[in-house]
Amino acid sequence: MRGAKALRPSWLVLAHQAVSAVGALPVLSLALPVLSLGGVVLLTASVAQGATPVRFSGELGGLVTDVAGKPQPGAVVLLYNRQDVLLQRSATDALGSFAFGELLPDLYSVNVSLSSFVPAIKERIQIRPGMRSLLEINLSRVFSSVQIVSTTPVSGSLMSDSWKWALRADSITRPVLRILPAQQQRTDAPGEPSHLFSDSRGMVRISASDGASVASDGQADLGTQFAFATSVYGGNHLQVAGDVGYASGSTAPSAAIRTTYSRELIGGVKPEVSVTMRQYFVPLRVGQSLIGSPQGDGPLPALRTVGMSFDDKTQLTDSLQMEYGFAFDNVSFLDSLHYFSPYGKLIYALPHGKVDLTWTSGNARPELGTAPGDGGADLQRDLAAVAALPRVTLLDGHAKVQRGDDFELGVSQRFGSREYRLAGYHERVLNTTLTLASNDAAIFPGDQMPDLFSNSSLFNIGKFDSYGYTASVTQDLGDNYKVTLMYGSEGVLAPRTGETAINTADDLRKTLVAGSRPAVTLRVSGGFKATGTRVVASYQWTDYQSATPGPLFSTESARPEPGLNVVVRQPMPVIPRMPWRMEASAELRNLLAQGYLPLVTSGGDRFLLLNTPRTIRGGIAFVF
């Protein structure tokens, strides 16, 4: 600029001398624009020569240390773009530092690995033009972490010190440039955790049922349930859920607890490991015998289960996704039982739908069909997993566990606000369990397992094979309501035609014959914006003159349930200055008590066989 100012007077002097020498005013009027244009050109050239090139790229660097703060040389650092494609590879120097330069503004990911340490992964690192982002990486044998500690301008960047002082001098922009707290200065991306534990949330639910005098639905509803979830160093997620209280007829408390750990990896991979432990005290009704002799009466051992499960998913292609996992369970009651339960699910995405193929073995996997819900869906899922007890029965005085193999194939297609789905399944179940309700506790000695939550018993009817299909259409009514109509067939157990004497448990098993029947189900779900109420209601029309095991291992998101069912969730008014919000819930299953099969023994004893008993459950949850 200084040179430009010096040029301008010299050009004016020359112009004045030229005009004076010629003595013509027209020449002056013609020369001045030309000379001014020449001055502008020289001025631009002078400024261009003195300015530095503007940087539109950014840089990424970091320091790798162990938990004690000692630098770790030789660590391998991999840089990926937002499509998880490897861009650059580097290694830390003797001081434990690394750097990547000339990066276009975008989101990147880094993977830092070193022998004997858990790899450290950081996703969605934002690189800005002319800025250098610095990472602090702590490698550990348990939890490795990556944090963005600062973002500073690169030499020659767009934001120079002169611009910063110009902005600070303007009173209008001062609120934008106010200094943030030290805790917020440690991170560059919004929502990035700066502490050991972050994104913590919890739920405590107190619930009760109507007493289940006839039968229960097999869900552990002991009174108090809790769930807690948190993130450890951002990418590690830990969840704990439990259930504690008193079962029906027991004098000692029963409890269950489940711990789940998952870790976010590059490419959306999130493997999950869960460990679940349960202990329930089995009530023994007066006159009931477990092994068919008077010595079988008396105090019973506790029912204990320990299970470990692994779940993961991977994207095989752009359209094909695979979910897989397994569970290993141990059940201890009179006998010690071990069983392995693998599963797999393939999902092929269509332009407006999907095709899914599911195989499960051993345990049921109803969570495979659930779609993500609100923010507490993961907590609700863990509470449901804790409450889902294995169906333990007795066969000739020995403990057995219900397990099966299920194959399902479904196709979904959406046209505007309407979705169509067609699905078929084949189930092969071992130790199929039905609920037996009778006034006589010893009607089948040695083959009745006391129900933990009612005065009824669980009865083992043996093998059960069934085929079925479901065709459904779902219509969206605005943003809050859905109506689903389903038609299909499902497996049932019906008594043989003709007179068949029932004297023993084996006679009862021979009396029941597997078959199928058609069913129509109407399901309505929605919510009221004014009150926040969420309601799901369904009813099934079918022939209820038979026992209805139904699709025991179905993974369909909208499973047809016998009878009339209503589920209501109602948010409660917020109490000022309280760190939680409250939500009331009510579950009413098979309100009309349909699907009860009455039978009579040759001695005149009457009893009922059912699989879906009438239950009413309500509770209140405190969500933190």
Side-chain angles (χ1 to χ4, degrees):
M1 299 295 293
R2 221 177 274 175
K5 292 179 180 179
L7 287 173
R8 186 174 182 183
S10 63
W11 278 97
L12 292 176
V13 171
L14 291 175
H16 178 69
Q17 293 177 354
V19 172
S20 300
V22 177
L25 291 176
V27 175
L28 176 62
S29 61
L30 179 62
L32 284 177
V34 174
L35 296 178
S36 300
L37 178 61
V40 172
V41 172
L42 291 178
L43 176 62
T44 306
S46 175
V47 174
Q49 292 177 359
T52 58
V54 177
R55 296 179 60 92
F56 291 94
S57 61
E59 295 182 1
L60 176 65
L63 178 65
V64 180
T65 63
D66 59 7
V67 292
K70 182 180 178 180
Q72 298 297 314
V76 178
V77 184
L78 305 178
L79 179 68
Y80 298 86
N81 61 7
R82 67 163 65 218
Q83 287 80 25
D84 297 328
V85 176
L86 180 63
L87 299 179
Q88 299 185 40
R89 182 192 302 265
S90 180
T92 56
D93 56 17
L95 299 179
S97 62
F98 67 92
F100 298 105
E102 301 300 329
L103 300 178
L104 295 177
D106 203 347
L107 297 178
Y108 296 85
S109 302
V110 295
N111 185 327
V112 183
S113 60
L114 187 62
S115 59
S116 72
F117 289 102
V118 174
I121 299 173
K122 182 66 176 179
E123 297 180 349
R124 301 184 64 82
I125 303 174
Q126 186 175 9
I127 299 298
R128 298 179 179 178
M131 306 296 286
R132 178 189 293 112
S133 297
L134 299 179
L135 304 179
E136 179 182 323
I137 303 170
N138 296 319
L139 296 180
S140 170
R141 289 176 173 82
V142 181
F143 296 114
S144 298
S145 64
V146 182
Q147 294 184 1
I148 301 177
V149 296
S150 65
T151 302
T152 58
V154 181
S155 177
S157 62
L158 295 174
M159 185 61 70
S160 62
D161 291 336
S162 300
W163 278 103
K164 292 178 182 179
W165 281 113
L167 290 174
R168 291 191 182 102
D170 194 346
S171 60
I172 298 177
T173 60
R174 284 177 184 173
V176 180
L177 301 176
R178 63 183 182 274
I179 299 178
L180 296 176
Q183 177 181 352
Q184 299 183 19
Q185 291 182 4
R186 289 180 54 86
T187 61
D188 181 59
E192 188 68 26
S194 59
H195 296 285
L196 174 62
F197 299 102
S198 61
D199 192 24
S200 300
R201 57 200 183 280
M203 175 189 298
V204 176
R205 185 166 65 188
I206 302 174
S207 60
S209 62
D210 59 349
S213 58
V214 176
S216 72
D217 57 357
Q219 297 290 317
D221 186 8
L222 301 178
T224 303
Q225 295 178 306
F226 65 89
F228 175 78
T230 187
S231 297
V232 184
Y233 288 123
N236 306 282
H237 303 280
L238 183 66
Q239 296 181 198
V240 180
D243 193 354
V244 62
Y246 288 84
S248 175
S250 64
T251 58
S254 300
I257 188 168
R258 175 184 175 89
T259 303
T260 303
Y261 169 76
S262 60
R263 180 177 176 83
E264 294 183 4
L265 302 178
I266 292 179
V269 180
K270 188 178 179 181
E272 182 178 282
V273 179
S274 301
V275 177
T276 306
M277 295 180 290
R278 306 180 183 91
Q279 176 175 280
Y280 296 97
F281 292 91
V282 181
L284 182 62
R285 296 170 60 187
V286 177
Q288 192 173 42
S289 175
L290 296 185
I291 60 176
S293 64
Q295 287 78 11
D297 296 330
L300 298 179
L303 172 63
R304 296 183 176 91
T305 69
V306 178
M308 188 276 290
S309 63
F310 172 80
D311 303 275
D312 199 1
K313 64 180 179 180
T314 182
Q315 195 74 28
L316 301 178
T317 65
D318 293 339
S319 302
L320 185 61
Q321 181 183 7
M322 180 179 181
E323 300 178 19
Y324 58 93
F326 65 87
F328 181 78
D329 296 272
N330 171 261
V331 177
S332 176
F333 180 75
L334 297 180
D335 300 291
S336 183
L337 308 175
H338 308 272
Y339 57 100
F340 184 71
S341 305
Y343 77 91
K345 183 176 184 179
L346 291 173
I347 304 174
Y348 184 80
L350 301 175
H352 301 285
K354 65 177 181 178
V355 178
D356 52 88
L357 175 64
T358 308
W359 167 70
T360 60
S361 179
N363 294 333
R365 297 281 182 173
E367 69 275 6
L368 294 181
T370 57
D374 54 18
D378 54 346
L379 301 180
Q380 297 284 356
R381 184 201 63 178
D382 276 2
L383 290 179
V386 169
L389 287 174
R391 302 287 279 178
V392 181
T393 57
L394 292 175
L395 185 62
D396 296 329
H398 296 283
K400 302 292 180 181
V401 177
Q402 176 179 275
R403 49 181 296 131
D405 293 298
D406 177 65
F407 298 88
E408 296 181 60
L409 177 62
V411 181
S412 301
Q413 192 72 20
R414 174 172 285 275
F415 299 95
S417 61
R418 187 172 299 171
E419 181 180 9
Y420 297 90
R421 180 168 177 81
L422 179 63
Y425 71 90
H426 174 216
E427 280 186 351
R428 181 182 296 110
V429 186
L430 300 177
N431 303 312
T432 309
T433 304
L434 290 179
T435 301
L436 189 150
S438 173
N439 294 327
D440 187 1
I443 186 173
F444 299 117
D447 286 272
Q448 288 181 254
M449 174 69 181
D451 186 49
L452 297 176
F453 313 107
S454 68
N455 294 329
S456 58
S457 303
L458 302 180
F459 186 80
N460 188 332
I461 63 172
K463 298 180 181 179
F464 177 70
D465 285 5
S466 67
Y467 294 83
Y469 67 91
T470 301
S472 65
V473 55
T474 301
Q475 177 65 53
D476 296 340
L477 302 178
D479 297 332
N480 296 324
Y481 302 94
K482 291 185 177 182
V483 178
T484 302
L485 181 63
M486 292 178 282
Y487 175 82
S489 65
E490 58 183 18
V492 297
L493 288 168
R496 294 178 184 271
T497 58
E499 295 294 333
T500 303
I502 302 177
N503 295 315
T504 64
D506 290 335
D507 294 338
L508 177 58
R509 297 185 185 99
K510 295 177 183 178
T511 301
L512 300 177
V513 179
S516 63
R517 67 180 181 187
V520 179
T521 304
L522 178 64
R523 187 175 186 266
V524 180
S525 63
F528 303 95
K529 290 185 177 181
T531 60
T533 308
R534 301 291 301 175
V535 179
V536 178
S538 67
Y539 182 76
Q540 182 183 88
W541 288 273
T542 187
D543 178 15
Y544 287 106
Q545 300 301 315
S546 58
T548 57
L552 300 175
F553 293 82
S554 174
T555 61
E556 292 294 313
S557 57
R559 289 178 287 273
E561 299 176 332
L564 177 63
N565 306 274
V566 180
V567 178
V568 181
R569 295 175 60 183
Q570 174 62 57
M572 304 293 289
V574 178
I575 301 178
R577 298 184 179 181
M578 289 297 177
W580 62 70
R581 60 180 178 88
M582 295 186 297
E583 182 181 83
S585 61
E587 298 182 16
L588 302 91
R589 303 290 184 183
N590 197 5
L591 279 179
L592 303 180
Q594 295 176 300
Y596 289 21
L597 178 62
L599 295 174
V600 182
T601 65
S602 57
D605 296 324
R606 297 181 178 273
F607 61 95
L608 296 174
L609 283 181
L610 59 149
N611 190 64
T612 307
R614 173 184 177 273
T615 55
I616 300 176
R617 179 181 292 112
I620 184 170
F622 300 86
V623 183
F624 299 86

